[in-house]
Amino acid sequence: MASTITVETVVHSPIEKVWEYWTEPKHITGWNAASEDWHTPYAENDLKVGGTFVSRMEAKDGSFGFDFTGVYDEVTKNERISYTIPDGRKVKIEFFSQDNDTRVVESFDAEDSNEIEMQRAGWQAILDNFKKYTESSIHK
């Protein structure tokens, strides 16, 4: 049984904006990277139960890339998203409104090939990037 890793952040934006930025491909390509030398040049998202998503994650120098994909198990607007990735692991994202802020809590099944702390750090870095992107007012 795989252990579950949880990362979270508080985004200083209302829940409707946080949901939109989390789920719309034009925004996903703006924040979905763990470090400055990575990017997501392409994303598509069919946000419904049974729908699929894909985010193309690549090193900016072109040395490596992969498609991050999954199938949605649950979609409750402005509240919860859960999905299964191809290796069978589950991911759940919950959104909690706190006045004009939104707490985002992401839980996922750990995989066996990397240390737990490394996985947590990578997912947290992407979540931190999402927070920074969403709080910036330049994206419309």
Side-chain angles (χ1 to χ4, degrees), residues 82-119:
S82 65
Y83 59 84
T84 304
I85 57 178
D87 65 8
R89 291 185 297 134
K90 304 277 190 187
V91 179
K92 177 175 70 175
I93 307 100
E94 295 177 291
F95 303 85
F96 301 95
S97 184
Q98 300 176 327
D99 299 317
N100 274 339
D101 294 342
T102 305
R103 187 162 62 101
V104 180
V105 179
E106 191 170 17
S107 304
F108 61 97
D109 294 339
E111 41 102 345
D112 297 328
S113 55
N114 290 295
E115 292 292 324
I116 297 271
E117 282 308 313
M118 183 180 163
Q119 294 176 63

Side-chain angles (χ1 to χ4, degrees), residues 17-35 38-48 52-58 60 66-70 72 81 83 93 95 106 125-134 139-140:
K17 179 181 180 185
V18 169
W19 180 268
E20 174 188 339
Y21 279 38
W22 188 272
T23 60
E24 290 191 7
K26 70 180 182 180
H27 293 301
I28 294 168
T29 57
W31 60 262
N32 192 29
S35 62
W38 279 75
H39 67 147
T40 298
Y42 172 80
E44 65 181 50
N45 194 15
D46 184 15
L47 188 64
K48 66 179 186 231
T52 60
F53 68 87
V54 60
S55 296
R56 178 69 190 168
M57 303 175 86
E58 294 181 354
K60 287 182 178 175
F66 63 94
D67 289 339
F68 184 71
T69 64
Y72 290 109
I81 296 170
Y83 59 84
I93 307 100
F95 303 85
E106 191 170 17
I126 293 171
L127 194 56
D128 292 346
N129 219 28
F130 171 75
K131 171 184 168 71
K132 186 169 59 175
Y133 176 91
T134 304
H139 313 290
K140 298 293 179 212

